[in-house]
């Protein structure tokens, strides 16, 4: 149960204010179909998460966890740097 709570909180805070939420907000505001937008966005998040979980399981069988963590951290840092450079109009 601890993994469920930790995953829920991690995803919840990671997703707050992201592009998906802004798109859902915009669709709900412009179309007035709140339930339909909620269901569509929820199903999309479930599908994306399902793909990530199965891909993660598959990759974990091919790559040692410590290497996977280092590569993931490096990609996260590089993405952040790239976004920062773009925001400063250096790229």
């Amino acid at each position: 149960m601890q993994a469920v709570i930790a995953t829920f909180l991690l995803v919840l805070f990671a997703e707050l204010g992201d592009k998906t939420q802004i798109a859902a907000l915009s669709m709900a505001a412009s179309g007035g179909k709140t339930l339909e937008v909620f269901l569509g966005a929820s199903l999309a998040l479930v599908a994306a998460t399902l793909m990530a979980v199965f891909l993660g399981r598959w990759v974990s069988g091919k790559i040692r966890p410590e290497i996977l963590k280092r590569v993931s951290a490096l990609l996260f840092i590089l993405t952040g740097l790239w976004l920062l450079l773009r925001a400063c109009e250096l790229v």
Side-chain angles (χ1 to χ4, degrees), residues 4-70:
V4 172
I5 294 169
T7 304
F8 172 80
L9 292 173
L10 177 68
V11 172
L12 176 68
F13 290 116
E15 295 296 322
L16 286 177
D18 76 341
K19 296 179 301 221
T20 306
Q21 271 197 329
I22 294 168
L25 182 143
S26 174
M27 291 181 72
S30 65
K33 304 226 180 241
T34 307
L35 181 60
E36 289 89 341
V37 172
F38 170 75
L39 290 174
S42 297
L43 289 172
L45 184 57
V46 167
T49 302
L50 188 63
M51 288 187 291
V53 167
F54 282 110
L55 181 63
R57 174 58 95 182
W58 180 79
V59 168
S60 72
K62 309 285 183 208
I63 301 171
R64 292 189 322 229
E66 60 272 4
I67 292 174
L68 188 57
K69 285 180 186 177
R70 288 181 180 154

Side-chain angles (χ1 to χ4, degrees), residues 72-86:
S72 297
L74 179 63
L75 289 173
F76 189 78
I77 290 167
L78 290 175
T79 301
L81 287 173
W82 180 69
L83 291 171
L84 181 63
L85 292 172
R86 281 191 60 202

